Amino acid sequence: MEKRNIGSLSVSPIGLGCMSMSHGYGPSDEKTSIQLLNEALDVGYDFLDTATMYGGGRNEELLAKALKTRRQEYVLASKCALFSQDGKPTIDGRAETIKAQCEASLQRLKTDVIDLYYLHRLDPKVPIEESVGALANLVREGKIREIGLSEVSADTLRRAHDIHPIAAVQSEYSLWTRLPEIKMLDVCESLGTTFVPFSPLGRQFLTGKAQEASCLTEGDIRTSNARPRFETEAFAQNSKLLEPLREVAQEFNCSLAQLALAWIIALPNRAGKQTLIPIPGTKHIAYMRENIAAMNVNLPLDVAEYVSSLIDDDKVIGARYNDRQMKVMDSERDRN
């Protein structure tokens, strides 16, 4: 399958989200994670995504330790402005914070440059122009190659792009989370910005392997800020939506996870080009291999459109985040 572009960068149609190896989904094993990262490069992943927030920097350190001799084999993405302070998530998009966090990430990652550096969340107290101006300075200094934004609205993207070209926007997008379809996908296309879906497997729900919140371990975000769709009653109702998807997956001889990823990479923009680059995350080697194999699933456009009709936000019970989390999101919140 052809490579897909992120600004000046070129990557495979499916990347690897590294968060769960250090953060968000309960305990993980460093030895297994190191093996997973190396095997990921071996089987075709060449786009790895981490962040300052993930494990308080430990995820960046993990990548450096695991792949210290293989830095030239992958495109590296990391993020700034969102971090944990006194055990609580904190957003700081000031120029001095962005610069300091970039320097710290470079040291943890043991690299001279970060290929794609995202503003992880918009700081409501800091104009986007100021934050992007700081990122643009890092480009000029050679510390980062391309600028990205995460979980922002289409209007914020436009304002940011006026300051410096934005290579990528990363936001949640999957069969059961379709918010970017309101405006973001069209605006990205018009600006030449690549859209990078995170949680393309619905935090495991779309794989058919997930459990309801009460069965999950402590430290799993699905028991806290991402809980609404995993509450017992909501989870039971939502699970019924998977049944017709199973029939399609069986027809194409693939797993539910592979179908969900194949759907994303098959979606064309208005010009008919396939440009989306999902970054499914996992801490399991078997799932990592299963996910990359979705590139071998040839999903015709009419089938992708049929799959689109089977499950979407209107059919799903529960918000993707709890009320507290939703309040800090800068995104289109309705379909008006």
Side-chain angles (χ1 to χ4, degrees):
M1 189 171 288
E2 292 183 2
K3 298 278 188 174
R4 300 189 177 184
N5 296 325
I6 303 175
S8 62
L9 311 169
S10 179
V11 300
S12 294
I14 295 177
L16 178 64
C18 299
M19 182 184 81
S20 61
M21 298 176 218
S22 308
H23 179 93
Y25 287 87
S28 59
D29 173 70
E30 182 180 275
K31 181 179 179 181
T32 299
S33 295
I34 289 173
Q35 181 181 348
L36 186 156
L37 287 164
N38 278 278
E39 291 191 17
L41 298 191
D42 293 341
V43 299
Y45 289 93
D46 60 6
F47 181 36
L48 307 186
D49 183 274
T50 182
T52 292
M53 179 66 180
Y54 301 161
R58 292 192 302 276
N59 196 246
E60 291 178 322
E61 293 171 345
L62 172 67
L63 264 65
K65 182 176 182 179
L67 305 173
K68 56 187 175 183
T69 64
R70 307 185 70 175
R71 177 64 185 90
Q72 302 305 313
E73 297 181 42
Y74 62 94
V75 169
L76 172 64
S78 191
K79 312 179 194 71
C80 64
L82 177 63
F83 58 101
S84 181
Q85 187 172 55
D86 300 325
K88 297 180 180 180
T90 301
I91 302 173
D92 186 344
R94 293 176 298 167
E96 58 266 33
T97 299
I98 290 172
K99 181 177 178 61
Q101 289 192 347
C102 181
E103 293 291 349
S105 287
L106 287 168
Q107 290 182 27
R108 287 190 294 264
L109 290 161
K110 299 187 186 308
T111 188
D112 295 327
V113 62
I114 297 170
D115 299 308
L116 174 61
Y117 201 47
Y118 293 94
L119 185 75
H120 204 160
R121 291 290 186 274
L122 176 68
D123 185 341
K125 303 183 295 298
V126 178
I128 186 62
E129 290 82 358
E130 179 179 332
S131 296
V132 172
L135 292 168
N137 286 336
L138 293 172
V139 173
R140 285 189 284 270
E141 293 171 7
K143 302 294 179 63
I144 67 176
R145 290 196 169 96
E146 298 286 357
I147 296 174
L149 303 177
S150 178
E151 287 281 23
V152 298
S153 67
D155 291 340
T156 296
L157 170 58
R158 289 191 185 98
R159 288 169 54 197
H161 198 80
D162 285 342
I163 303 301
H164 188 281
I166 303 300
V169 166
Q170 178 182 134
S171 291
E172 184 172 355
Y173 183 55
S174 67
L175 280 167
W176 80 341
T177 298
R178 310 285 277 278
L179 188 66
E181 293 177 0
I182 300 173
K183 290 182 181 180
M184 181 56 76
L185 295 181
D186 285 345
V187 173
C188 280
E189 182 179 358
S190 68
L191 297 177
T193 298
T194 300
F195 188 80
V196 178
F198 75 75
S199 293
L201 298 177
R203 298 185 174 85
Q204 201 184 36
F205 175 80
L206 294 169
T207 71
K209 300 166 185 166
Q211 296 176 298
E212 63 180 78
S214 63
C215 299
L216 300 172
T217 60
E218 184 178 355
D220 191 311
I221 61 173
R222 294 169 293 183
T223 67
S224 53
N225 64 340
R227 186 182 182 99
R229 293 180 174 183
F230 290 88
E231 290 280 12
T232 301
E233 184 175 344
F235 185 83
Q237 291 300 314
N238 291 334
S239 294
K240 296 176 182 179
L241 297 171
L242 295 177
E243 292 311 309
L245 292 175
R246 293 184 197 279
E247 295 178 7
V248 178
Q250 184 175 9
E251 179 182 349
F252 282 83
N253 194 29
C254 66
S255 68
L256 277 173
Q258 290 166 344
L259 176 64
L261 292 171
W263 172 78
I264 289 178
I265 62 177
L267 291 176
N269 60 21
R270 290 172 299 180
K273 297 182 63 177
Q274 297 162 324
T275 62
L276 303 186
I277 306 170
I279 49 168
T282 185
K283 56 185 177 182
H284 302 285
I285 293 173
Y287 296 166
M288 174 272 292
R289 289 180 171 273
E290 177 184 359
N291 293 341
I292 195 72
M295 293 196 298
N296 300 323
V297 179
N298 183 18
L299 207 63
L301 180 57
D302 62 330
V303 177
E305 291 173 344
Y306 171 65
V307 170
S308 294
S309 72
L310 296 177
I311 178 172
D312 56 41
D313 300 80
D314 295 332
K315 297 181 178 69
V316 173
I317 296 175
R320 65 191 181 106
Y321 286 122
N322 61 28
D323 290 342
R324 180 181 61 82
Q325 281 291 112
M326 291 303 293
K327 287 178 181 177
V328 302
M329 296 293 176
D330 172 54
S331 61
E332 287 74 30
R333 292 184 173 85
D334 56 50
R335 294 183 176 273
N336 295 330

